[in-house]
Amino acid sequence: MSKTKTSPGVLLVTKFATANLKAYQEYVDYVDREDAKKENGAHEKLFTLYQDYLANPDKTSSLFTDESDGLNEQEKKKLKQVFETAQVNKSIMWQDVITFHNPWLEEQGLYDSRRHTVDEKKVMDITRQAVNKMLKREQLNGSAVWSAAIHYNTDNIHIHIATVEPHPTRERGMRKQSSLDAMKAKVVNQMTNRRESQKKINELIRKDMVDYKKKDSSLAWRNRELKPLFLMVYNYLPQDKRQWQYSYNTLKPLKPYIDTLSEKYIQKYHSKEYQQLMKTLDEEVNELKKAYGEGKVNQHRYKNYKQNKIDELYKRMGNAFLQEMKSYDKKQQRTQQLIERPKSLKRPTSFQQNAPVHFALKRMEKAFKSEYESWKNQQYYERMQRESQRNQQQHYDDERGY
């Protein structure tokens, strides 16, 4: 039995019309009609390219713009003149339709299904933010003029938006997909108010875990469980301390071991915070799925969201450990005249300046892996020894009836 895909909460459809198309003139004619809401079929002339959306003229909001929630007759005439100027100057007219899944819109508190009413004020404000976001990314924010209307006449409430340049700055009609994605994302983010959830995620990562680690700059190398791995990573770091950053390519062979160090630290000190982070991330991904839909086109909006945040945690935590290693290194330098470092802790000679980078990386990775495996084997051997001693003692006690 196949799983039913979730209908997207927000859908954006875009097209454009050139100045010589009938749809362009019909929109211009529509703008200042006094009887636009009364005359049957008047709204059918609005966005002819979207005829399937337009049927009931009684269920449409008044025209609104970047500056007004409802144009009066004088404002309509002025807007019409702007669109006529744009048409004469052969401006493109961009036509966007933002369609909502009504149950999703109701879930966000913007729609009342019983009365079939929308919080028009908020929807208009969000539309402004979304359109202006797109215009800015397209570098049209200084030259473009737009108008819009909310439509109730289908199963899905939607907004029609028309944008022109009275004095065109471009001939092409296609806009960047990233600009349209940003426009849609603005609608989703403002309607869902995911800021609180995303703030909580960031606080769990940065404040509750990473900042906690930063406050104790000597925690790892003083900790019995973390110290061996901490020292092994430290002793295979490159000579140039400027490269002691998690994202540096020279640290690539060390990253799995730095991540292991972070993982052990998180398990020991922040297991509850980590579980809360996973729960919150899952909730956020679910909300993004509901907003964008589960089709392949929109998967990038949520598919890697959780893993990206986990990667961010390990990157920040890794840099916190590398910062601790810098502090540790300073202490080592101050005491190196008094305490000679053991031979096993001397920095590998493979990091000489004249050694090829790829060769040095390979040597370091091989040597580090060997030493780490040796340390794990030694840990395992010691653990088995302790268990054997406990078993012998238990057998000794059993024979004596203890």
Side-chain angles (χ1 to χ4, degrees), residues 257 364-374:
Y257 307 102
M364 181 183 73
E365 186 172 12
K366 183 177 179 181
F368 189 88
K369 189 176 294 184
S370 175
E371 186 168 337
Y372 183 56
E373 290 298 324
S374 176

Side-chain angles (χ1 to χ4, degrees), residues 76-314:
K76 285 182 181 180
K77 291 183 184 299
K78 185 177 179 179
L79 180 65
K80 180 181 180 181
Q81 292 173 359
V82 171
F83 272 74
E84 286 177 334
T85 299
Q87 186 179 24
V88 170
N89 291 332
K90 300 188 183 305
S91 167
I92 297 291
M93 180 167 71
W94 291 277
Q95 300 174 311
D96 302 311
V97 176
I98 302 173
T99 303
F100 303 105
H101 184 50
N102 287 3
W104 180 86
L105 195 64
E106 187 166 27
E107 188 177 330
Q108 311 314 316
L110 297 172
Y111 173 63
D112 186 337
S113 59
R114 293 174 299 175
R115 298 179 180 179
H116 197 46
T117 57
V118 172
D119 185 343
E120 288 191 353
K121 173 64 177 174
K122 189 166 184 179
V123 171
M124 288 178 182
D125 287 342
I126 291 172
T127 302
R128 291 187 182 100
Q129 294 179 54
V131 173
N132 290 331
K133 182 80 172 180
M134 177 273 293
L135 294 179
K136 185 176 181 180
R137 292 178 71 98
E138 287 292 312
Q139 297 183 342
L140 291 168
N141 51 316
S143 60
V145 176
W146 61 269
S147 62
I150 303 170
H151 288 247
Y152 302 83
N153 54 296
T154 67
D155 292 337
N156 296 300
I157 293 167
H158 51 281
I159 307 166
H160 285 284
I161 307 162
T163 305
V164 296
E165 288 185 290
H167 304 285
T169 62
R170 62 170 69 182
E171 296 180 359
R172 64 182 180 86
M174 295 297 293
R175 291 166 290 177
K176 295 189 293 291
Q177 185 60 46
S178 59
S179 300
L180 299 174
D181 287 344
M183 180 180 178
K184 181 177 178 180
K186 194 69 174 179
V187 173
V188 171
N189 292 338
Q190 292 300 311
M191 286 192 168
T192 58
N193 193 20
R194 304 309 303 163
R195 286 175 292 182
E196 286 302 314
S197 175
Q198 292 165 4
K199 181 181 177 182
K200 182 179 180 181
I201 289 170
N202 289 335
E203 285 183 348
L204 282 166
I205 292 173
R206 302 173 189 181
K207 182 179 178 180
D208 296 347
M209 288 187 270
V210 176
D211 283 356
Y212 183 92
K213 165 68 190 71
K214 289 179 179 178
K215 289 177 183 178
D216 191 343
S217 61
S218 60
L219 185 149
W221 66 269
R222 290 189 290 104
N223 182 278
R224 181 178 177 182
E225 296 179 32
L226 301 177
K227 185 175 180 179
L229 186 55
F230 175 91
L231 290 176
M232 276 190 287
V233 172
Y234 166 74
N235 283 289
Y236 282 92
L237 288 170
Q239 294 282 0
D240 186 356
K241 295 181 181 62
R242 292 174 299 180
Q243 299 177 27
W244 292 18
Q245 298 290 332
Y246 186 87
S247 297
Y248 254 91
N249 189 53
T250 49
L251 266 62
K252 186 176 180 180
L254 288 174
K255 283 185 181 180
Y257 307 102
I258 298 174
D259 289 345
T260 300
L261 188 61
S262 297
E263 181 182 9
K264 289 181 176 296
Y265 168 79
I266 292 169
Q267 289 175 349
K268 183 173 180 61
Y269 295 102
H270 297 293
S271 60
K272 290 183 179 179
E273 290 88 344
Y274 187 78
Q275 290 174 7
Q276 181 62 38
L277 176 64
M278 293 301 101
K279 178 183 177 182
T280 308
L281 285 173
D282 287 337
E283 292 172 352
E284 185 67 12
V285 169
N286 185 53
E287 290 300 322
L288 290 172
K289 283 183 179 180
K290 289 183 345 186
Y292 289 101
E294 299 185 56
K296 291 183 179 180
V297 175
N298 294 303
Q299 278 187 357
H300 69 284
R301 288 289 180 183
Y302 56 82
K303 185 177 181 181
N304 299 318
Y305 180 84
K306 181 178 180 179
Q307 187 58 50
N308 288 342
K309 284 297 180 180
I310 295 173
D311 291 344
E312 178 188 339
L313 168 62
Y314 275 84

